[in-house]
Amino acid sequence: MIPYNRKPHGNADVKGTAVADFTSQHINADSKTVESFGEEWNRFGTFTEAEIQRAGEQYFDIVTENMLNKNSVCLDIGCGSGRWSKFISQRAGFVEAIDPSEAVIPAVKLTQSCGNVRVTRAGYGCIPFDKESFDFVFSLGVVHHLPDTQGAITEAASMVKKNGWLLLYIYYSLDNRSGLYKFIFHCSNFVRLVISSMPQGLKNFFCDFIAVTVYLPFVALTRFVRLFSEAGSKKVPLSYYADKPWKVIRNDSLDRFGTPLEKRFSKKEITEMLDNAGMKDICFSDNEPYWHVVARK
Ligand SMILES: C[S@@+](CC[C@H](N)C(=O)[O-])C[C@H]1O[C@@H](n2cnc3c(N)ncnc32)[C@H](O)[C@@H]1O
């Protein structure tokens, strides 16, 4: 456990566990997006061990024993439901998991049996730990939802000890996709702008509707194309979901269409941002989800 470097301005009581709260008005965050994620994780924040294991292996495929091991003190920035903190808890020494939203409630519930995970309500712009305190910092699916993405990457890098590692997952700008794929995405982005501005109940309804009418047909198409060509099936939009459970598809539909602030970055842009943050040995995974990348300080 790393000591906090200041006093929290409050404490939330979650199932008998006090969660220190460091959030303030000045964090690098979009308040509507934070609120939306709080709702999302309270709705979809329970996972079985097998679900966490299967998905975690995809996000952590480029993380070696040298980067993360029983001696590693880790920081999960934007932990959401806490699923990745739980995933790495058996490989790590200790995990500090932070999120500025009400997701801290499901995160405490999911991780309280681990014994080496502490959840704190905090985020970029109000991280309550001294710089260079962590061997392994990760922030998965977070920095593309923030007003200042470069600022967040620089702050994440600042928490890493010298020679420590940073793992990020940042929405890709479809830089490895065809023109048709990009066209479909731009149409879907317009739909996101409309749906994400709706009240939560309507938003949930439309995102579930899209999960049934858009995701499921593409899942069926991917499985059909796969009968003839494995490589061809990977080119089908949303092929990533071909073997994902229904709950993940609903969750990701809400994530994709219900989130007000979303940005996308190419490999080149991510490399530049990591360079600017003083990181080296930058290594992208060739596998989905795109792009997830590790870098050393
Ligand atoms: C797509 S979710 C990803 C959650 C988790 N990392 C995962 O992959 O399951 C994005 C998370 O970022 C959090 N977030 C939003 N603004 C943030 C900020 N300024 N600092 C840290 N986390 C933030 C949200 O509350 C949300 O839980």
Side-chain angles (χ1 to χ4, degrees):
M1 194 178 292
I2 298 288
Y4 294 136
N5 61 6
R6 57 186 181 276
K7 283 210 162 75
H9 68 70
N11 273 300
D13 186 50
V14 184
K15 271 187 127 189
T17 306
V19 177
D21 189 346
F22 292 88
T23 51
S24 68
Q25 296 302 310
H26 304 292
I27 62 172
N28 175 9
D30 177 68
S31 56
K32 286 209 169 90
T33 298
V34 171
E35 195 183 317
S36 177
F37 276 120
E39 304 249 8
E40 178 179 326
W41 291 120
N42 272 299
R43 194 158 167 237
F44 289 111
T46 45
F47 299 92
T48 64
E49 298 276 340
E51 283 167 350
I52 293 177
Q53 196 59 32
R54 217 175 309 126
E57 277 162 13
Q58 293 191 301
Y59 286 86
F60 287 80
D61 61 344
I62 42 177
V63 176
T64 64
E65 171 78 14
N66 171 41
M67 301 173 193
L68 172 64
N69 53 58
K70 276 280 174 203
N71 296 320
S72 308
V73 179
C74 308
L75 175 63
D76 178 356
I77 312 177
C79 66
S81 63
R83 57 185 168 162
W84 309 136
S85 288
K86 184 175 170 95
F87 175 71
I88 65 154
S89 64
Q90 291 190 348
R91 272 174 84 177
F94 197 84
V95 188
E96 296 284 2
I98 65 171
D99 199 286
S101 77
E102 301 216 335
V104 290
I105 298 167
V108 166
K109 289 182 190 156
L110 195 70
T111 58
Q112 62 191 356
S113 62
C114 300
N116 62 345
V117 178
R118 175 172 65 172
V119 178
T120 301
R121 194 165 185 175
Y124 285 106
C126 59
I127 298 177
F129 305 108
D130 285 346
K131 296 199 183 317
E132 306 214 336
S133 293
F134 296 91
D135 305 288
F136 185 80
V137 174
F138 58 107
S139 192
L140 303 181
V142 181
V143 298
H144 46 243
H145 293 303
L146 305 189
D148 179 7
T149 299
Q150 172 71 74
I153 293 177
T154 302
E155 191 177 4
S158 77
M159 303 312 295
V160 183
K161 285 181 191 164
K162 183 110 186 82
N163 284 318
W165 292 88
L166 172 64
L167 172 71
L168 298 173
Y169 161 49
I170 305 180
Y171 279 176
Y172 73 136
S173 58
L174 312 174
D175 29 333
N176 56 350
R177 296 294 192 181
S178 68
L180 174 64
Y181 202 105
K182 287 181 179 144
F183 173 73
I184 295 174
F185 167 76
H186 287 302
C187 298
S188 78
N189 203 38
F190 175 72
V191 176
R192 175 182 67 80
L193 292 173
V194 175
I195 293 181
S196 65
S197 61
M198 292 176 173
Q200 195 66 38
L202 265 186
K203 197 197 274 191
N204 292 344
F205 171 79
F206 278 108
C207 292
D208 278 349
F209 182 75
I210 290 173
V212 174
T213 58
V214 180
Y215 282 64
L216 287 190
F218 277 122
V219 163
L221 181 63
T222 305
R223 289 184 184 172
F224 178 72
V225 175
R226 197 195 274 164
L227 295 175
F228 308 99
S229 159
E230 183 71 35
S233 73
K234 294 205 168 117
K235 296 197 173 120
V236 175
L238 303 176
S239 58
Y240 177 70
Y241 295 97
D243 302 304
K244 294 282 180 287
W246 171 228
K247 190 177 78 178
V248 171
I249 294 176
R250 282 179 77 203
N251 184 175
D252 282 12
S253 175
L254 180 58
D255 208 285
R256 174 70 191 84
F257 291 96
T259 306
L261 177 63
E262 174 195 292
K263 301 191 244 172
R264 288 185 171 258
F265 297 91
S266 66
K267 249 186 185 180
K268 187 167 168 281
E269 288 166 328
I270 295 170
T271 303
E272 274 169 19
M273 290 190 288
L274 282 165
D275 264 344
N276 293 340
M279 301 302 289
K280 55 193 178 195
D281 297 344
I282 299 165
C283 170
F284 284 81
S285 174
D286 292 329
N287 304 316
E288 292 189 73
Y290 301 128
W291 297 114
H292 60 288
V293 57
V294 273
R296 188 162 67 89
K297 184 144 174 191

